[in-house]
Amino acid sequence: MGSGLGAGRLAAALAVRDAADAVARGEGPADRADAVLTALFSVVSPCAAAVERWDPVRGRHETVASAGYRDEALGVMEALFHEDPRFPVVRLGGRPLRVRDIDPAERRGPMFEQVILPARFTDGVSLCLTAGGRYVGSVHASTSSGGVDDESTAVLRLLSADLTSLVDPLDGMPVPVASPDAGAFAWSPSDGRALALTPSARPSLVSGPLADLLAPARWPSRLGRHLLVVQGGELLAVEARPAGRWVVVEHRPAAALAGLSLRELEVLALLATGATNRMVARSLGVGERTVATHVEHLLTKLDAGNRAGAVAFAVTAGLVRMQAPIV
């Protein structure tokens, strides 16, 4: 390798590191994906390269930057790379995988059959990007002459964390979900962004009272577990916890609490805000006598001697009434 090529790779690596450091400081380059693409061309010297971001809701990749690949090839990467026989190896191994390192007898699957062979690429490299076990996306580079040398793969491996922070909307932060069956999303209090982490995520939960509960001024006392009574007859268990500059929110349907009906829980949540019977009636669009009946019933079910005891129960349970249906 000539000194000029080595200097170019070093400059590219330093540029990626500087860009990733800027993201960590909350600044960030205007186009992160282009910074990754430029680095791929400087480090690997390919004739084609692509940056793919994983969309957990759609269950496929999204091309955020590319050069040299035909549209058909990009479509295969987006829809089928995660179904390729070598995908688990690349993802779990955390190392770049070169075409030349795959036994010729094992060179099959959508990436070979629909990308590499039709374009007559002689070599190439793929790297999966992960943050704390969370899959973020991948980068690919292919060449039609020569191959991808050992130093190129070593540089890509060293830059893996920096590349992740540039591709990931969550800046490469590890935000694991505790329960695999829960809906989960990440919310940024600074700008209101909500990004789905699972297919069943409902980012609209952060509108209204929940956003107020999670406001940075109320941290850390308001982070934790809550029960949301959603207008339209739904009870959700929600857990919110910090993840760097983000808040991870998990949610799942919850069972009835202490034998209370959803309407009684809704009344109780309003009482916990200090609302009077008249205020509760106005909020729910019912009469004061109806509210008084609900209060009497919930006091009995909770075995609470007075409203203060019922309110204490609501606060302990993290009961919150959402003012609009969650879609």
Side-chain angles (χ1 to χ4, degrees):
M1 182 184 71
S3 58
L5 185 56
R9 285 174 173 165
L10 177 60
L14 291 175
V16 170
R17 177 61 53 84
D18 289 343
D21 287 344
V23 167
R25 294 193 301 269
E27 303 167 7
D31 196 326
R32 304 181 186 185
D34 279 348
V36 177
L37 193 67
T38 300
L40 288 176
F41 275 96
S42 299
V43 172
V44 182
S45 298
C47 62
V51 182
E52 304 285 334
R53 180 178 293 145
W54 175 248
D55 185 337
V57 175
R58 298 171 63 203
R60 58 179 290 148
H61 292 82
E62 171 194 16
T63 301
V64 291
S66 69
Y69 287 117
R70 297 174 61 89
D71 290 343
E72 294 83 354
L74 294 175
V76 172
M77 293 179 188
E78 292 175 350
L80 299 176
F81 174 57
H82 57 287
E83 297 181 2
D84 192 275
R86 276 152 298 279
F87 176 74
V89 176
V90 184
R91 177 177 176 178
L92 297 177
R95 299 184 178 187
L97 178 64
R98 294 178 295 188
V99 170
R100 62 192 285 188
D101 295 327
I102 301 172
D103 189 289
E106 298 297 322
R107 295 179 184 179
R108 58 179 183 271
M111 292 295 287
F112 272 105
E113 297 162 6
Q114 300 184 54
V115 177
I116 297 173
L117 295 178
R120 297 183 179 179
F121 292 129
T122 58
D123 200 3
V125 61
S126 293
L127 172 66
C128 286
L129 307 175
T130 61
R134 177 174 56 88
Y135 179 57
V136 170
S138 58
V139 293
H140 307 271
S142 300
T143 179
S144 295
S145 60
V148 180
D149 60 30
D150 293 342
E151 185 172 340
S152 295
T153 57
V155 173
L156 286 178
R157 185 179 179 186
L158 289 173
L159 291 178
S160 179
D162 299 312
L163 295 173
T164 298
S165 68
L166 293 176
V167 172
D168 182 19
L170 304 185
D171 306 334
M173 295 180 182
V175 285
V177 176
S179 303
D181 59 339
F185 60 90
W187 179 60
S188 171
S190 61
D191 57 18
R193 281 187 297 161
L195 301 173
L197 299 178
T198 64
S200 56
R202 300 166 74 175
S204 53
L205 283 174
V206 292
S207 62
L210 188 58
D212 184 52
L213 283 171
L214 300 178
R218 300 194 176 191
W219 289 359
S221 61
R222 290 295 190 174
L223 292 176
R225 297 179 179 178
H226 302 279
L227 275 176
L228 303 187
V229 186
V230 181
Q231 181 180 336
E234 186 177 12
L235 184 65
L236 294 176
V238 172
E239 181 175 358
R241 58 183 182 275
R245 296 187 298 274
W246 296 79
V247 175
V248 176
V249 181
E250 293 186 40
H251 56 84
R252 64 178 57 80
L257 183 67
L260 298 178
S261 68
L262 282 171
R263 178 58 97 183
E264 289 165 349
L265 287 169
E266 198 168 21
V267 170
L268 181 57
L270 289 169
L271 293 181
T273 67
T276 63
N277 281 10
R278 176 173 296 182
M279 295 166 65
V280 172
R282 185 179 306 151
S283 179
L284 298 180
V286 299
E288 287 188 54
R289 183 170 299 179
T290 300
V291 172
T293 300
H294 286 315
V295 172
E296 181 181 347
H297 288 169
L298 66 87
L299 288 176
T300 300
K301 291 179 179 180
L302 294 175
D303 194 22
N306 50 42
R307 294 164 68 107
V311 167
F313 175 88
V315 172
T316 300
L319 197 61
V320 178
R321 175 180 180 262
M322 297 297 291
Q323 297 176 350
I326 304 300
V327 294

